[in-house]
Amino acid sequence: MPTAPLLSIGIIFKNEARCIERCLQSLEPLRSAVCCELVMADTGSSDASRQIAERYADEVFDFEWVDDFAAARNAVMDRCHGKWYFSIDCNEWLDADILELTAFIRGRNQANFAFVSIRNYFSAELESGGPYSDFYTARILRMSTGQRFHNAIHETWTVCEPFEWLTRTILHHDGYFFQDPQARKNKEKRNMTLLRKRLAENPEDLAILVQCVESGGNDEKFMEYIRRAVKIVKERKSPQLTLGAGLLCHAVGAALARELPELEEWLALAQTMFPHSMFTLVDINHMVFMHAYQEKKWEKAICSGEGYRKGLQKLKACPRPKDVVEDLAQGSVRFGSPDSEQTLLICLADAYCQTGQGEKR
């Protein structure tokens, strides 16, 4: 009788010829280190994705797309036999440092889930030094829990303790940069159709509203989603208030870009309700700094710039403090990369010079 794999790796794909082989090659060291199976579902490819997948996977099967990501991922899980399940997308690739991951998979631990770091790149430089953002998400599940994915869009498991943070395990992701403009537009349209359906069924669900804000930048109701979500946070009506810091970060960004009258109110709300959040300390301070700098409001820029520097020190701490890791599980911190830091520090030095305080730099 064949030995059951320790780890099942599950992937769904459609027309990913651009990146699928990079993803599958990145998994080879893990598959050599741990007894694995790789199961993949093709949801309707018309390019070479299927042929590439078949060269690597233990099983590739067709899944008829039904506008439901959870259904597709569950179809993959249903064909897996491992003790652990690892969910990956084709536009991601596993970092070469797999020591922490293999130790977790092989180890005797009580966790039922594990969070890994997702690093989203925003330029072609990728790992060579371009801008990126990080967040943590649950991608590893103990199969004996019987958990399955839920939600047609932004599918997830119902994560509960015990779980572990694999803070050195990184999945790199370039889908936001390399996606074709028309494909990006089609993806947003598809996502918003699914999200609007969920929101109609749960109009006060803060998590769904935040997802509408994150996915619907071009949606005609974008600002309505922001205002509805901010109202829920302000009135503390939701049990999901930990999402509030990230939501207010989006709100402040929109207010700065659109010169909205709510800017100061939303900024004060973020600073009052979530003063220690990475979204407030890093992202909001970065956005406020750059806006103040462009308007030559030097003192305001300096204040925000120094706040950003303090927040970045905490973000870059190794190991990361627990509250920082928990923040990054709620959303993506956009301005924490070395590229963002360098841009701000150059401008901050100039702001000090403009106020005659160049010696402070």
Side-chain angles (χ1 to χ4, degrees):
M1 180 179 294
T3 303
L6 188 57
L7 176 66
S8 297
I9 304 173
I11 298 176
I12 64 173
F13 69 94
K14 177 182 179 181
N15 293 337
E16 299 283 6
R18 175 190 71 81
C19 56
I20 190 171
E21 190 152 27
R22 178 189 61 190
C23 171
L24 300 179
Q25 286 179 346
S26 78
L27 297 173
E28 290 297 282
L30 176 62
R31 297 181 70 189
S32 296
V34 176
C35 181
C36 289
E37 65 176 350
L38 173 59
V39 179
M40 304 179 68
D42 182 356
T43 63
S45 295
S46 58
D47 63 4
S49 299
R50 177 64 172 262
Q51 289 78 11
I52 297 170
E54 288 174 342
R55 296 205 301 267
Y56 290 85
D58 297 289
E59 180 180 1
V60 182
F61 67 97
D62 291 311
F63 180 83
E64 184 177 353
W65 183 244
V66 290
D67 283 341
D68 191 325
F69 282 93
R73 295 201 189 275
N74 288 336
V76 174
M77 287 191 72
D78 289 342
R79 293 172 181 249
C80 290
H81 308 90
K83 177 180 178 181
W84 295 97
Y85 183 82
F86 189 11
S87 180
I88 301 178
D89 289 331
C90 284
N91 54 16
E92 299 171 339
W93 65 100
L94 182 62
D95 191 82
D97 182 357
I98 60 170
L99 292 178
E100 179 188 49
L101 176 58
T102 54
F104 174 81
I105 296 298
R106 291 172 177 160
R108 295 182 178 180
N109 57 72
Q110 301 301 312
N112 288 327
F113 305 87
F115 286 74
V116 305
S117 178
I118 309 295
R119 178 160 292 177
N120 294 316
Y121 293 99
F122 300 100
S123 80
E125 296 157 288
L126 300 179
E127 296 172 79
S128 300
Y132 62 78
S133 66
D134 286 340
F135 73 98
Y136 291 105
T137 188
R139 289 293 190 89
I140 299 174
L141 166 73
R142 189 188 294 271
M143 291 282 278
S144 63
T145 63
Q147 282 257 8
R148 289 296 183 264
F149 287 97
H150 56 86
N151 297 336
I153 182 73
H154 299 303
E155 64 285 3
T156 186
W157 299 306
T158 302
V159 179
C160 55
E161 294 185 345
F163 56 78
E164 285 196 20
W165 303 100
L166 303 185
T167 57
R168 301 192 309 276
T169 301
I170 301 174
L171 284 173
H172 303 272
H173 172 259
D174 71 356
Y176 295 131
F177 175 74
F178 282 102
Q179 196 170 57
D180 174 80
Q182 186 58 48
R184 185 182 299 112
K185 185 177 180 180
N186 292 341
K187 180 179 178 180
E188 179 175 326
K189 182 179 179 180
R190 176 203 66 196
N191 289 356
M192 290 308 299
T193 297
L194 295 174
L195 285 170
R196 279 193 292 267
K197 181 179 179 181
R198 288 186 60 203
L199 188 61
E201 297 168 352
N202 304 276
E204 298 299 311
D205 190 305
L206 184 59
I208 300 175
L209 278 167
V210 170
Q211 289 167 7
C212 287
V213 170
E214 293 175 342
S215 298
N218 296 314
D219 192 276
E220 61 182 11
K221 293 187 176 182
F222 176 70
M223 288 310 307
E224 176 188 327
Y225 299 140
I226 285 183
R227 290 189 172 97
R228 285 172 60 183
V230 169
K231 185 174 185 293
I232 291 172
V233 172
K234 184 178 180 180
E235 296 177 355
R236 302 176 185 266
K237 285 185 174 180
S238 173
Q240 306 160 308
L241 278 181
T242 52
L243 297 171
L247 179 277
L248 288 169
C249 184
H250 285 293
V252 169
L256 285 167
R258 293 166 169 79
E259 299 183 348
L260 299 178
E262 296 98 334
L263 172 60
E264 294 303 324
E265 175 193 348
W266 293 347
L267 181 58
L269 192 60
Q271 292 169 338
T272 300
M273 290 187 68
F274 308 100
H276 305 298
S277 166
M278 288 296 98
F279 298 103
T280 303
L281 294 174
V282 176
D283 279 0
I284 289 180
N285 272 327
H286 192 286
M287 290 187 292
V288 171
F289 170 85
M290 296 307 298
H291 188 265
Y293 179 80
Q294 290 165 4
E295 293 194 337
K296 300 183 178 180
K297 296 179 179 179
W298 310 121
E299 295 296 343
K300 184 176 182 179
I302 289 170
C303 181
S304 296
E306 291 299 341
Y308 171 84
R309 291 180 67 191
K310 291 178 183 178
L312 200 61
Q313 282 183 333
K314 190 173 181 181
L315 180 67
K316 292 164 65 177
C318 186
R320 279 174 169 161
K322 184 180 179 182
D323 61 330
V324 173
V325 173
E326 290 173 343
D327 270 349
L328 295 181
Q330 301 298 329
S332 181
V333 172
R334 178 70 184 267
F335 298 109
S337 70
D339 177 85
S340 298
E341 179 183 14
Q342 183 178 32
T343 299
L344 184 141
L345 290 181
I346 291 171
C347 295
L348 180 59
D350 181 51
Y352 273 114
C353 291
Q354 294 293 339
T355 60
Q357 304 176 70
E359 70 279 358
K360 291 191 177 182
R361 299 299 301 150

